[in-house]
Amino acid sequence: MSATQLATLARTSAPQSMLRRFLALDAAVTGANALAYLAFSGPLGRFLGVDSTLLLALGAFLTAYAAGVGLLAARRQPPALGVRAVVEANLAWTAVSLTALALWLTPSTAGAVWTVLQSLTVAGFAALQYRALRVSQGRSD
């Protein structure tokens, strides 16, 4: 993805704003997901075919993670080390989600589709954040 395409997607050509927007979007989506898991763990668990206790634990974890990513997004210039940590955490989440689906989760069809879709979304956030970090550092390769 070129810097121009990234700027179009972020709706800004300012590198730091671009990075902050992708972090903020990640925090918002993750936070909404966390709240849904916390508030509706029973019905969501039945629909997705996963244990409601797992959803509660994931909801608590994602709440803390979303808050951390949100704080990073609120910084005028998010530190590269923090952004790299978010990118790596997102990639790890993707790998663990897909591995769990393949090895030990037995969700409903909706749950399997949800797991794959959320994994792809998180991987997309990682790619956008990594690319925006590179642009903000003056590297467009």
Side-chain angles (χ1 to χ4, degrees):
M1 176 177 288
S2 73
T4 303
Q5 291 170 319
L6 197 64
T8 301
L9 187 59
R11 297 184 180 250
T12 180
S13 60
Q16 289 301 321
S17 295
M18 200 182 307
L19 179 57
R20 293 175 64 215
R21 285 183 183 182
F22 290 134
L23 289 168
L25 180 61
D26 186 353
V29 170
T30 301
N33 199 33
L35 292 176
Y37 286 174
L38 290 171
F40 305 108
S41 62
L44 279 175
R46 287 188 293 280
F47 178 68
L48 299 174
V50 297
D51 184 54
S52 62
T53 305
L54 174 62
L55 290 182
L56 283 172
L58 289 173
F61 170 76
L62 291 175
T63 298
Y65 182 76
V69 175
L71 288 173
L72 196 59
R75 305 265 316 253
R76 181 178 294 267
Q77 291 189 305
L81 184 60
V83 175
R84 278 192 224 103
V86 168
V87 169
E88 290 173 12
N90 283 342
L91 293 174
W93 177 272
T94 299
V96 169
S97 294
L98 295 175
T99 300
L101 180 60
L103 298 180
W104 62 271
L105 289 178
T106 53
S108 64
T109 301
V113 169
W114 173 253
T115 301
V116 171
L117 289 178
Q118 64 84 25
S119 294
L120 293 174
T121 300
V122 172
F125 284 143
L128 290 171
Q129 292 157 349
Y130 176 77
R131 188 73 181 110
L133 177 62
R134 302 281 293 174
V135 170
S136 74
Q137 294 175 327
R139 297 184 216 146
S140 59
D141 52 356

